[in-house]
Amino acid sequence: MMGKKILIVDDSVSIRQMVNFTLKGAGFETEEAADGKAALDKARLKVFDLVFTDQNMPVMDGLTLIRSLRALNEYKRTPILMLTTEAGEDMKAKGREAGATGWLVKPFDPQKLLQVVAKVLV
């Protein structure tokens, strides 16, 4: 698990900081992006082991980002987790359709976040 690279995508600086703090404390390497377009640019330059993305962001939303990542060979099997305030079944179904691996609702519990990360990075 140590040294795994995780991309955190959210337009909220405070959410990115909290996720970053939680993951770095557990020994992960992290990078941040403020929207889907910036995240996609980073993902094309470097391969991440896991991506966390919000849904509602400017420039490119989470579902579009997930579809774009899934279109890249390096990200066909990479775990992509939605971290969003959207908790509706309809949105979850759209997330699964786009290729999301899992779903966490904000505000998140740091322990739960780490448990989910441990589960998907096996």
Side-chain angles (χ1 to χ4, degrees):
M1 292 290 217
M2 299 297 263
K4 292 270 188 189
K5 292 184 276 313
I6 301 177
L7 180 59
I8 304 160
V9 191
D10 201 305
D11 57 332
S12 160
V13 174
S14 60
I15 291 286
R16 285 199 316 266
Q17 286 173 338
M18 286 189 317
V19 175
N20 198 0
F21 180 79
T22 302
L23 294 171
K24 275 204 154 117
F28 295 102
E29 282 179 41
T30 61
E31 279 196 39
E32 299 177 20
D35 62 65
K37 167 92 174 67
L40 191 56
D41 292 343
K42 284 183 183 236
R44 285 190 170 120
L45 297 173
K46 179 179 190 176
V47 178
F48 293 91
D49 300 297
L50 169 64
V51 178
F52 271 104
T53 183
D54 184 20
Q55 166 52 20
N56 302 311
M57 299 179 288
V59 190
M60 181 191 289
D61 69 21
L63 293 176
T64 307
L65 171 61
I66 292 171
R67 286 189 204 100
S68 304
L69 287 172
R70 291 294 184 220
L72 302 172
N73 271 336
E74 302 84 4
Y75 288 94
K76 290 216 184 304
R77 290 189 171 71
T78 303
I80 303 174
L81 299 171
M82 294 289 289
L83 179 60
T84 179
T85 52
E86 304 261 357
E89 282 309 311
D90 182 45
M91 187 50 90
K92 286 182 180 176
K94 285 183 179 152
R96 279 192 296 274
E97 227 169 82
T101 310
W103 203 275
L104 285 161
V105 178
K106 294 182 207 168
F108 69 92
D109 166 4
Q111 278 313 111
K112 177 121 172 67
L113 183 98
L114 292 174
Q115 284 169 352
V116 172
V117 169
K119 207 176 284 179
V120 298
L121 282 180
V122 194

